[in-house]
Structure formats: structure tokens, C-alpha cells
Amino acid sequence: MKETLQFQTESKELLNLMINSIYSNKEIFLRELISNASDAIDKYKYLAFNSNGEIPVRDGVIWLHLDDKKNIIEIEDNGIGMTKEDLINNLGTIAKSGSKDFMKKFKEAKDKQDINIIGQFGVGFYSAFMVADKVEVLTKATNDKAYLFTSDGKDNFTIEEANKDEVGTTITLYLKKDKDEEDYSQFASTWTVERLVKKYSDYVRYPIKMMMETQKAKKDENGNDIEGKYDTVLEERTLNSMVPLWKKNKKEVTEDDLKTFYKSKFNDYEDPLFSMFVTVDGMVSYSSLLFIPSHAPFNLYSENYEKGLQLYAKNIFIKDKCPELIPDYLKFVRGLVDSDDFNLNVSREILQASPVLKKIANNVEKKIVDELKKTKESDFEKYCKFWDIYGEHIKFGIYSTYGEKKELLQDLLVFHSLNAEGNKYISLKEYVEKMSKEQKSIYYAAGETLDAIKMLPQLEKFKKNGYDVLLLDKRVDEFALMMLQEFDKKDFKSISDESINEELSTEEKDKIDSLNANHKRFLDNVKESLTDKVDDVVFSSKLVDSPVCISTKQGLSLNMEKTLDEQPGNENDGPKASKVLEINPEHELFKALATLEDNDEETKKYASLLYDEALLLEGFDIKDKQDFVKKLNEVMVKSLRK
């Protein structure tokens, strides 16, 4: 006898909300129904193991049956099945979770068996109504009659006795008709269903099977293949892998297994540069496969690039990119994280804010950094390959977090240096170990390219004295060091810092002081002429062959000023460096200019030439090229006429 029952008023409202709003992607329905089927098999196994032989133990299996002509899809399992009361409570009342109740009972049980309840929300079943206008549930529980539940997902549902030989459940979806841009019939095609199983349910622990058409060669009377002749036959095929690579014993997984998985999973034609197999058991447990590509993703620096690791919850695929699992500076890392501890929202599509997520994310970050540190120590050549591709991201990690990550990341930093052979990299630790006893700071020079930096006039004294200097040819470098502040109790100091004169040559201080006093008029005239360009004019002890250079007082360097000026919104209106024109008192040019010291106007006329020459030596452009050429020509003419 068929019994018609009404959904509760609040249940009808919630059902409508769920069908039309809760799930953002219609294809999710298959994941939910397969997860429920896996859940039912788990329950059956638990009862069978604890029935003292009254309930037969059997292998779990999930079958998918398709009828693309009638637009029907069936999901069949040999799990626990449902009684009439279960149908009313679990399907007739929205959000009452049979799985959740079962888990509660399971936790209370003394003899716990291996069980993994996937669906703990009583709503997954209703996702079927996103694609179907009628759903039938034929089910049989142990030692009970079979029942058929039927509903169109609107006002009511019916339950009637039915015939079913085996314990389990078969859900039949009568798909909606295609309309506008909604293609419902695709869900009855083998290609679509195979793709969805692979995407969402590949690692469900039970085989998901389906009969699929295949071509087999026709046989002659002797049983030999007939060339070019084929029959279309139905063949049983298992669609899912069942055991995910990350759930296997780590000792059983080879590096080749990881490489093959990476290339297949992330559609890359090259092996990854790094592969990491991470399993953590404790207060928070998770498994993870992490990969660093051997080449930067083509759109890594695009605004459209989405960072994130794939998210799995209990082997079920939830999200392709979960940004909360990876920090911005490691956005190039690919991989996945699977945990039973994730808190998902009702549609399983969004992670709820929780300390579990943060703990896993922090642990993943530390695992990646630790792996990079190990490689830096054991295989420096391989690490340098990584650094060439992704080094700027590590420095960005220090700068963008305002130094919060400096303790974590500082040992990853490597730089080119003045004394390193063949442009090889040197770590901060190596630099400090090679410092002379009298050296107080870690010196660095910044510029657009390594060749341009090596030509800086400020380097002359360092070369002469044999001091090593870090060469920073990336825009983020100085900003990262500014946030780092110090390493091994040694501060960082730019060779362009004006204060470095005293640090380099204490013995020459008296000489410089004397020059400043004897040529005060000359310095004042140059400074007055360059009032809008420099903050001070001094004699330099860092120059050897060059006549002039531009340094800055503590704070912004010229390169940092340039970088900030180029940021959107600044356009040359960003913060400015405090510039100092340094003059080499030993150079013939100064000695010649010193003869004009009593001629204030002549001295001021040459001041702008000195400044422009210093700019050129620094690798910067001259703003007023016409004025520079005019004054240069005047000097040349005057010289030639003599």
C-alpha cells in the first residue's frame, strides 16, 4: 500500500533553498550520492563484524547504471539499507542526519572497527533534485522488508512496500529536461559520469563500477581476430582508484610514483623540481602531497592566478584550490591536503573558519621550508635552480609579512656577491663566516643588473680592501633586507649609505675633516647649486678611481625610491631618498675644480655636471639632457681654446 506523506513546512522551505541555493555546482550531486553510498557500506561492515555471523560479511561495491535514452541514472550500493522509519526520518525530514546519529552511536561503542563516515550532513541526498525532477529510493535493510521512496522534491513524498532481494539501496534519478543553457542529459552519458567520478570520488574506498561499451575484435571460426572487424560489447569497468597515493605507506611510494602522479594530476609535461610526501598524526592529522614545479606556471604573475592546494576531506575531493592552505609567498606550490578533521559547511564546498585549518596550513608551510633548507645544505646546485625560478617569492615572504617570517625564511636567502667566483650564490651564513674581524656590517649594493652593480663607483674601495659585497639585482631585495634588519647580530648596510665612509676608513677621518674645513666654500657652493637635488655634499673616502658618486643617508636608497615611484598611484610622487653628492678629493677633476674655489659662479656652473655624471655612474637617467649637453659643450670649447 502506497503511503503519501507531507514534508514539514520548514523542511519544504529548506529543501527549496538547498536545491536552488546551497550547492553552487550541479555536478556535485553525484559526489554526494556516491559518498552516501560509501557511508552505507561502512555502516553495513560495522554491523556485520559485530553480528557474530548473523549478518554475512561481504565486499562493498557501488554500481552506476545509465540510460541515456530515457535520461535516467542509478546509484546502487550493497550497504546497510533503510527501514521505513529510516526513510521518514532521514529523507522525509531535511537535515536530520542518519550518518550523524550512527556516528554518535559508533563513538559510544566499545569495540570500534575501522569506519569512515563521509556524510555527516543530512542534506546530501537532496542535491539530486538539482538535476532530477523525480527521485526514487529502493532500499532494504537487514531483516526487514524492502521499501520504495518517491518524491519530486516539492510538497510530499510516498513510501510503499517493494521487492528487492539484496540488502542495500538503489537511488534512481529521472533527469530534468534540457532547457536554455542547462544540459541535464549530460549526466546520463558515460563520458560525463566517468569524468565526475574521477574528479570527485576517485579515492572512495569501495569500487565504483559501471558497464561501459567497448570495441572487441570479431573472431573467426578458429577463434582468431578478424582484422578490421569489431563488435560493440558491454564490459564491467571500475571507475575509481580507491586507494589514494597519499594514504599508502610512505615507504611503498617511490619518487617515480610521485612524479607520475604529479604530471597526471596537474597536467605538467615536466617532472617536479621537488616532491614532498607528508603524513602527520597527532592532535590534528592530515596527509599531503606537495610539489614545486620545475618551471614557473605561465600565469604565475598574472592577476588571474589563483593560489591554493587541492582540498580533500576523508578521500573525497572538495575544492580545486583552497587558498587558506598556502601562504602568498609559496603560491607556486601545487599539491593537495586530505584530512578527516576539516570543518566543512553544509554543502561541503566551503571550509569553516577553524583552528584546525590554520594549524594544518602552518604545518604545511613549515614542511615546505624545511625541505628547501635540507636541499640547500645537501644539494646546493638543485637549490640554486629553485632559487633562480622562485627566489623572489621567498624574499617577498619576508617583506610582505613585515619581518614576521624572517626567522623562518632567512636561512633560505642566497645572493650573488662581489667576491664569489662565476656569479655563484652565497648564503648569509657563508658571508658572515668569511667577514674580516674589523668588518662591522653585511655590505650590499643594489642595481638593475649584476653588470651594472659591479660598475658602481662606490664598490672601488671594497674591491681594493677585499671586502665582499652582496649584489642585489632584484627590486624586492633591499625591501627584504630592510625587514630582516640583521643576521647573526650583523646589520645590513648599503655601500651607498653616506655613513659608511667613516666605517671604511677611520684612519682617514682626520683627513676628511680637514678637507671639509679647507674647502668649505667649494662644498657650500656646490650644495647651494644643487639645493633641489641633494641634501648634502661631502668628500668621500670610498672612491678610488671615480670622481663622484651619489649616496643616501639612512633610509631609502635610490633604487628603493625608483621602485616606489613606479608603483601604481605613486608615479614619481612616492617617498624620496635623502641624497648626498660625494666627491673624491684625490681625483684630478676635484683638484682642477679646486682652482676655481674663489669663483663662486664658475663652481656652481660645474656643480650640475658633477651631479649628472654621478647619476650616470649610478646607472640612472638624466632628466634634463639638453642642459647637460650644453654645459658639457661649454667645458669642451673652453678647454680646446686654451
Side-chain angles (χ1 to χ4, degrees), residues 181-385:
E181 297 181 359
E182 297 288 356
D183 181 9
Y184 296 105
S185 59
Q186 65 170 315
F187 298 119
S189 76
T190 55
W191 183 86
T192 298
V193 168
E194 186 178 20
R195 176 180 64 83
L196 295 182
V197 170
K198 201 71 180 171
K199 179 177 181 181
Y200 293 105
S201 307
D202 196 31
Y203 305 116
V204 167
R205 68 169 71 188
Y206 304 109
I208 302 170
K209 297 188 176 185
M210 185 166 66
M211 300 300 293
M212 299 183 69
E213 289 186 351
T214 186
Q215 299 291 316
K216 285 199 171 182
K218 285 189 174 183
K219 304 287 185 180
D220 59 21
E221 56 191 20
N222 298 318
N224 298 318
D225 293 346
I226 302 175
E227 187 176 351
K229 299 288 186 179
Y230 298 92
D231 285 324
T232 299
V233 297
L234 286 176
E235 186 175 75
E236 176 186 308
R237 188 178 300 176
T238 299
L239 306 181
N240 60 324
S241 304
M242 288 180 281
V243 180
L245 187 66
W246 60 90
K247 288 294 179 71
K248 292 183 178 180
N249 189 312
K250 193 172 182 178
K251 295 179 180 179
E252 297 175 359
V253 179
T254 66
E255 185 65 23
D256 285 341
D257 291 334
L258 292 172
K259 290 176 180 178
T260 300
F261 177 87
Y262 166 77
K263 288 191 284 189
S264 172
K265 187 74 170 176
F266 298 100
N267 300 313
D268 199 343
Y269 58 91
E270 288 188 66
D271 290 337
L273 192 59
F274 288 87
S275 301
M276 288 162 263
F277 190 135
V278 180
T279 302
V280 175
D281 292 310
M283 295 293 290
V284 176
S285 299
Y286 73 92
S287 297
S288 182
L289 296 179
L290 304 168
F291 304 94
I292 296 178
S294 56
H295 56 92
F298 74 94
N299 62 339
L300 182 61
Y301 299 100
S302 165
E303 291 182 0
N304 298 324
Y305 183 81
E306 293 182 70
K307 69 163 187 168
L309 302 179
Q310 289 188 348
L311 172 68
Y312 285 76
K314 301 175 183 176
N315 296 4
I316 303 299
F317 176 77
I318 302 298
K319 194 174 185 179
D320 187 44
K321 292 183 185 294
C322 180
E324 295 90 345
L325 285 170
I326 203 79
D328 284 344
Y329 75 91
L330 293 176
K331 66 179 182 179
F332 52 84
V333 175
R334 291 178 171 177
L336 58 88
V337 173
D338 184 8
S339 175
D340 293 357
D341 299 326
F342 282 133
N343 293 319
L344 303 174
N345 72 344
V346 73
S347 66
R348 307 181 201 243
E349 295 178 347
I350 302 172
L351 276 171
Q352 306 283 42
S354 74
V356 171
L357 176 63
K358 186 171 180 59
K359 286 179 181 177
I360 291 178
N362 288 340
N363 196 272
V364 166
E365 177 185 11
K366 188 175 184 301
K367 292 288 185 184
I368 295 170
V369 172
D370 285 346
E371 181 66 22
L372 292 173
K373 287 179 180 178
K374 289 177 186 176
T375 304
K376 178 170 165 286
E377 296 302 319
S378 63
D379 190 346
F380 193 65
E381 184 177 347
K382 180 179 179 181
Y383 182 78
C384 289
K385 289 180 182 178

Side-chain angles (χ1 to χ4, degrees), residues 136-140 146-149 162-164 168-172:
E136 292 178 348
V137 180
L138 177 61
T139 185
K140 177 179 172 62
Y147 292 93
L148 178 66
F149 169 101
N163 295 316
K164 191 178 191 308
T169 301
T170 300
I171 299 177
T172 304

Side-chain angles (χ1 to χ4, degrees), residues 328-330 332 383 386-406 409-410 412-416 425 428 471-484:
D328 284 344
Y329 75 91
L330 293 176
F332 52 84
Y383 182 78
F386 160 81
W387 189 259
D388 284 335
I389 305 170
Y390 304 111
E392 286 187 73
H393 293 268
I394 303 301
K395 289 176 279 192
F396 177 74
I398 295 173
Y399 170 65
S400 63
T401 59
Y402 302 99
E404 180 186 339
K405 303 282 187 183
K406 65 181 182 181
L409 301 178
Q410 63 183 2
L412 293 179
L413 297 174
V414 293
F415 299 94
H416 294 290
Y425 287 113
L428 294 178
L471 309 180
L472 314 184
D473 61 337
K474 300 294 187 292
R475 294 292 181 89
V476 71
D477 288 349
E478 281 191 274
F479 293 95
L481 294 189
M482 181 175 66
M483 292 302 172
L484 204 57

Side-chain angles (χ1 to χ4, degrees), residues 450-503:
L450 292 177
D451 289 339
I453 297 171
K454 290 177 180 178
M455 293 176 65
L456 290 174
Q458 293 96 325
L459 278 175
E460 292 169 355
K461 196 62 171 278
F462 293 88
K463 292 176 182 177
K464 184 177 180 180
N465 292 344
Y467 288 156
D468 203 3
V469 178
L470 301 179
L471 309 180
L472 314 184
D473 61 337
K474 300 294 187 292
R475 294 292 181 89
V476 71
D477 288 349
E478 281 191 274
F479 293 95
L481 294 189
M482 181 175 66
M483 292 302 172
L484 204 57
Q485 296 182 329
E486 65 176 24
F487 179 83
D488 196 19
K489 298 181 180 179
K490 302 289 191 300
D491 67 333
F492 294 94
K493 186 161 285 189
S494 169
I495 63 166
S496 295
D497 193 320
E498 184 265 342
S499 67
I500 214 168
N501 282 305
E502 293 185 12
E503 187 170 313

Side-chain angles (χ1 to χ4, degrees), residues 406-458:
K406 65 181 182 181
E407 295 297 328
L408 178 68
L409 301 178
Q410 63 183 2
D411 289 329
L412 293 179
L413 297 174
V414 293
F415 299 94
H416 294 290
S417 80
L418 186 62
N419 294 344
E421 297 180 3
N423 284 339
K424 291 182 179 179
Y425 287 113
I426 185 172
S427 69
L428 294 178
K429 182 181 177 183
E430 288 177 278
Y431 182 98
V432 170
E433 287 174 349
K434 294 178 181 179
M435 285 174 59
S436 60
K437 291 181 180 180
E438 65 271 14
Q439 187 176 338
K440 300 176 182 178
S441 304
I442 299 173
Y443 300 128
Y444 69 86
E448 293 290 327
T449 65
L450 292 177
D451 289 339
I453 297 171
K454 290 177 180 178
M455 293 176 65
L456 290 174
Q458 293 96 325

